[in-house]
Amino acid sequence: MKARTGLNTLAKLPGLLLLLGLVVAVYIDGLGGEFVIDDRTYFIDNDLLPQLRPWSFAGIFLRASNYWAELLPVRDFFYVFQYQLFADNPFGYHLVSLLLYLLVVVIAWRLVAEICKLDDPGVPCFFPLFFALAFFALHPIHVESVAYISGQKDLLCALFSFSSILVALRLLNTHRLESGTRHFTLFVTCYYTAFLSKNLAVATGLVITFLGVLCLLRNRKRWRLFVLGWFAINLPVLLWLRYSISISKNVWKGMDTLVVLPFDERLIRGVRIMGEHFFLLVWPERLSFGYPFEPLGRFDVSFWCGFVGILLLFLLIVRSRSWNVRLGAVLIVGYLLPISQVFYDLHNAAIYDRYLFVPVLGAGMLLGEGFSRLSLRPSLRRAVLGVAFVALLMLGFKTVNHIPVYRSDVAVADNAYVLFPGWNATPFNLAVSLVEAADFERVRILLDSEPSLSHPAWVPDYLIGWMALEEGQASKAVSSLRRSFLLAIDGGYFPYAALPLARGYRSMGNDLQALKVIEYVMKSSIYNPLDYYRVKKLREEILEDFQKAGFGS
């Protein structure tokens, strides 16, 4: 098949280097961020990771190196390697995240260029390629995965997923045995590595299945080989997923409290989840770490947004003759389908920016192709190029302004509270981050002005007692924290007051009472990784003091 025009220009580096330079300029401010949100549970409040070395293959590949019981060996290998270099200095981790993102952009560039070769030779290729990659690289949705260190699993998964799709395209279109063998080995390596980075790589399997079907429609003699080979490749994947999920379930077995919906309601909920993500994809104005979402099956704006979006993408997949358009639509649907919770529930929030990491590329491909075809009309060319330039400029400015949101836990929580003040999680998360930052005055203002902090009943005592403890008022702290602890247990909540309460008892010399509180948390059916680690370390300190005092074990 004759290649599209403009590929000689694409083979040169200036366009790609310009894009990489823009990425560095946009994300340079993110290098100064702290450990935020879950980062501490991997690199600070974690005694499992420091025990490992890059050559500790059994510890990395067979056991989780964190208290989330999250087994992602490739991600964990990178974490171990970085920990040996940077320890508790977040700058190094942020630098690695930026370098990984640059690699992802390079591989995405090669992937889209490869797809352009398969399309109509009469349509110029440079513009749709550059726009798609600029849209992808500058989109503010990616800030969560790049400026947040724990987002490295998304970067690694995308890097190896894009690589496997790229190699799969070449493998499906090669006719030479020697070249096919080399491509097959590289494909299997990249495909498995993507799964070992993040389980969301199941979407990569869906995309490659679609590519295989398209190629088999042109060469039906190879369908049996493809089906058998694809099954053989994915059998180890299924076994791995079963093993990694079983490790997680052993830790989270007491947390099966999710709302169980009939399948028809789950389907409606899934369309709503996809609708929320479609809206963020095309209008990334109010970005946050997590979003309020009622996980119910109902017909609302989110549902209709999702329904129309799925219908349009399905029509593009079925009716379009362009590989660029088809694969762009498949990247959007394929990578959102696993998080739609139609067939299973997720324990975390339903809406996250990181779920859109790959779909952003698909959206860029669709928009780039559309702008390219409109620009073929001389009367529209300047207007189209102007609109495209302004759109990319706005995305870049939005990204620059969004990066400081991930500079600290207070900044993350503050942003969510400003955007969604009616979401009960945001005032609580902001108050907790402010206590940890020792900004007690602002916490007291929140307690006085925010009605949601009076419900559930254990919350105000928890915050008041914790602040009193940090201010050295142990007796007052224990009184409030004990009340919060008991109220949380009675209400079926996780007793967040347990850790400061145990610390309060210890500061008053009552280590036995502190141990009782700690033992309750460690045996509780409700699991919280960060608090579990901290009470475990406090328990070890108390028992060590007992041994030194001659009380034995």
Side-chain angles (χ1 to χ4, degrees):
M1 179 178 288
K2 186 179 178 182
R4 290 176 73 168
T5 59
L7 288 179
N8 290 332
T9 305
L10 294 178
K12 298 178 181 179
L13 289 178
L16 178 58
L17 292 178
L18 171 63
L19 191 55
L20 296 178
L22 288 174
V23 171
V24 173
V26 166
Y27 278 94
I28 195 71
D29 189 45
L31 297 178
E34 303 172 1
F35 290 116
V36 298
I37 318 170
D38 295 336
D39 290 344
R40 295 188 61 87
T41 63
Y42 293 106
F43 306 108
I44 304 298
D45 295 315
N46 183 7
D47 55 3
L48 302 176
L49 186 73
Q51 299 174 16
L52 300 173
R53 298 295 180 270
W55 53 85
S56 306
F57 295 112
I60 293 173
F61 280 84
L62 298 179
R63 294 183 294 274
S65 63
N66 53 79
Y67 285 90
W68 295 98
E70 189 180 45
L71 183 58
L72 302 172
V74 171
R75 189 277 313 266
D76 293 344
F77 172 80
F78 271 79
Y79 278 1
V80 170
F81 185 77
Q82 290 172 82
Y83 187 82
Q84 297 302 311
L85 294 175
F86 312 125
D88 59 353
N89 181 3
F91 175 83
Y93 300 93
H94 284 299
L95 180 61
V96 170
S97 292
L98 180 55
L99 293 176
L100 283 173
Y101 190 48
L102 293 173
L103 278 176
V104 171
V105 172
V106 171
I107 297 299
W109 178 283
R110 296 195 62 181
L111 172 61
V112 179
E114 188 74 18
I115 295 166
C116 284
K117 294 178 184 179
L118 302 174
D119 257 336
D120 183 0
V123 180
C125 186
F126 180 78
F127 180 80
L129 171 61
F130 186 83
F131 182 88
L133 267 297
F135 185 87
F136 174 79
L138 301 177
H139 204 290
I141 281 288
H142 287 166
V143 171
E144 180 178 316
S145 297
V146 183
Y148 172 39
I149 297 169
S150 296
Q152 286 186 10
K153 61 184 177 183
D154 301 290
L155 300 173
L156 290 166
C157 182
L159 176 65
F160 294 111
S161 291
F162 289 160
S163 299
S164 62
I165 295 171
L166 172 62
V167 179
L169 274 173
R170 294 177 177 175
L171 180 64
L172 291 167
N173 286 284
T174 187
H175 298 285
R176 292 186 301 172
L177 179 61
E178 179 183 353
S179 177
T181 303
R182 185 173 65 253
H183 284 148
F184 179 79
T185 303
L186 183 58
F187 163 70
V188 172
T189 302
C190 292
Y191 185 60
Y192 287 166
T193 307
F195 271 98
L196 297 177
S197 302
K198 188 175 182 180
N199 289 343
L200 187 59
V202 294
T204 307
L206 297 176
V207 172
I208 293 173
T209 301
F210 173 79
L211 289 176
V213 171
L214 280 185
C215 292
L216 289 174
L217 290 176
R218 297 187 300 169
N219 185 0
R220 300 188 180 186
K221 295 179 180 179
R222 303 171 67 182
W223 72 268
R224 186 174 299 175
L225 178 63
F226 174 79
V227 172
L228 292 176
W230 195 225
F231 175 78
I233 290 171
N234 281 287
L235 185 58
V237 168
L238 295 174
L239 295 175
W240 169 257
L241 288 175
R242 182 178 179 181
Y243 175 70
S244 62
I245 291 172
S246 68
I247 289 179
S248 178
K249 281 188 173 181
N250 286 336
V251 173
W252 295 90
K253 57 188 176 183
M255 297 290 288
D256 297 328
T257 57
L258 297 169
V259 177
V260 178
L261 298 176
F263 181 76
D264 59 335
E265 292 191 43
R266 295 168 71 90
L267 188 61
I268 296 170
R269 180 186 64 179
V271 175
R272 291 181 61 233
I273 290 174
M274 295 186 76
E276 290 281 348
H277 285 97
F278 289 157
F279 187 79
L280 285 174
L281 192 60
V282 300
W283 193 254
E285 178 60 29
R286 290 157 54 87
L287 297 180
S288 168
F289 183 78
Y291 299 85
F293 181 79
E294 290 293 332
L296 303 174
R298 62 188 182 193
F299 299 98
D300 56 5
V301 175
S302 298
F303 172 83
W304 293 112
C305 183
F307 179 79
V308 173
I310 293 170
L311 183 61
L312 290 175
L313 291 170
F314 180 75
L315 289 174
L316 290 175
I317 293 170
V318 174
R319 301 298 298 272
S320 177
R321 297 291 183 181
S322 167
W323 277 76
N324 209 21
V325 171
R326 279 180 161 181
L327 188 57
V330 168
L331 287 177
I332 297 173
V333 175
Y335 278 86
L336 286 180
L337 189 60
I339 58 92
S340 64
Q341 303 190 42
V342 174
F343 301 104
Y344 54 86
D345 289 302
L346 300 176
H347 285 286
N348 51 2
I351 317 296
Y352 276 119
D353 293 353
R354 60 176 175 266
Y355 294 154
L356 286 166
F357 191 92
V358 174
V360 168
L361 180 61
M365 292 165 68
L366 295 180
L367 290 172
E369 190 70 21
F371 282 143
S372 178
R373 292 181 183 273
L374 287 174
S375 68
L376 293 178
R377 301 181 181 182
S379 60
L380 296 177
R381 184 170 300 162
R382 288 188 177 181
V384 169
L385 293 178
V387 170
F389 176 77
V390 170
L392 294 177
L393 193 65
M394 290 175 64
L395 288 176
F397 276 116
K398 176 63 179 176
T399 300
V400 170
N401 291 329
H402 189 48
I403 287 172
V405 167
Y406 288 86
R407 184 171 292 277
S408 67
D409 280 327
V410 172
V412 173
D414 222 346
N415 175 70
Y417 179 66
V418 170
L419 293 178
F420 310 109
W423 184 19
N424 287 346
T426 58
F428 178 76
N429 291 339
L430 177 58
V432 169
S433 66
L434 289 171
V435 175
E436 290 180 338
D439 191 350
F440 303 140
E441 185 60 33
R442 208 174 152 201
V443 179
R444 292 187 175 97
I445 294 173
L446 268 178
L447 283 169
D448 292 337
S449 62
E450 184 55 60
S452 65
L453 288 180
S454 60
H455 304 285
W458 58 268
V459 172
D461 281 319
Y462 166 56
L463 296 172
I464 292 169
W466 187 8
M467 287 190 292
L469 180 67
E470 299 300 332
E471 292 174 329
Q473 304 174 46
S475 179
K476 177 184 176 181
V478 166
S479 176
S480 295
L481 291 168
R482 186 173 184 277
R483 188 161 51 249
S484 173
F485 179 77
L486 296 174
L487 286 171
I489 294 173
D490 290 341
Y493 296 94
F494 179 80
Y496 286 95
L499 177 61
L501 177 59
R503 288 175 51 212
Y505 279 131
R506 183 158 166 74
S507 68
M508 296 173 65
N510 194 344
D511 285 348
L512 287 176
Q513 197 63 35
L515 277 178
K516 289 182 181 179
V517 174
I518 290 171
E519 292 297 333
Y520 179 87
V521 174
M522 297 190 71
K523 295 177 180 178
S524 173
S525 60
I526 306 176
Y527 181 66
N528 182 301
L530 180 57
D531 281 68
Y532 180 87
Y533 171 80
R534 289 177 174 176
V535 297
K536 182 175 81 79
K537 299 304 290 184
L538 185 58
R539 178 177 181 272
E540 291 173 359
E541 291 178 12
I542 295 173
L543 293 179
E544 185 179 349
D545 287 348
F546 280 175
Q547 289 180 343
K548 290 179 179 179
F551 292 110
S553 60

